[in-house]
Amino acid sequence: VQLQASGGGLVQTGGSLRLSCAASGRTISDAVMGWFRQAPGKEREFVAGLFRRGGSTTYADSVKGRFSISRDNAKNTVHLQMNSLKSEDTAVYYCAASYSAIWSSIAMTTAYSYWGQGTLVTVSS
């Protein structure tokens, strides 16, 4: 599966952005999908995850209540709605897919076999 992330940009503190991750080559309806981010000088970190089929979700504590992950099976796309953005949300955001991950590994980068190219989100104060 190939993943194409989009929707990043420059936004002011408190604003919103919606990231999209379009998949091609294979359906993602039975995949575990994740969003990760990497700020300059920092390691890539988990942001949000969406489990296969039933669609259970989980979020990093730092974004809980502000971000929401969802899947559009008809468009083979996953979205990350980001509200109440803070300067510390500035990073390159990556989407990822796995057809073998289990729930307990959903926040681990090593659980994912497929990665998008990343989209830059910059939050200015």
Side-chain angles (χ1 to χ4, degrees):
V1 63
Q2 292 78 44
L3 304 175
Q4 180 76 35
S6 62
L10 175 64
V11 63
Q12 291 188 330
T13 301
S16 298
L17 279 176
R18 188 193 195 205
L19 305 184
S20 297
C21 177
S24 59
R26 187 173 176 179
T27 180
I28 59 169
S29 61
D30 56 349
V32 175
M33 301 299 298
W35 282 98
F36 292 78
R37 67 187 181 187
Q38 188 166 17
K42 295 187 177 181
E43 293 187 353
R44 192 169 298 189
E45 64 175 2
F46 172 77
V47 175
L50 177 63
F51 207 61
R52 60 177 60 86
R53 298 189 189 96
S56 296
T57 59
T58 186
Y59 299 90
D61 288 343
S62 58
V63 307
K64 202 170 293 183
R66 301 188 296 123
F67 290 13
S68 178
I69 186 172
S70 62
R71 175 170 24 215
D72 184 339
N73 288 332
K75 295 184 178 180
N76 215 31
T77 299
V78 170
H79 300 288
L80 183 69
Q81 178 66 43
M82 305 187 297
N83 299 326
S84 302
L85 283 162
K86 306 175 181 179
S87 57
E88 51 263 44
D89 295 319
T90 295
V92 176
Y93 284 71
Y94 299 89
C95 59
S98 171
Y99 293 91
S100 59
I102 58 176
W103 178 255
S104 60
S105 67
I106 197 170
M108 301 170 61
T109 57
T110 53
Y112 296 84
S113 302
Y114 306 97
W115 291 84
Q117 85 287 4
T119 184
L120 176 63
V121 172
T122 304
V123 184
S124 65
S125 56

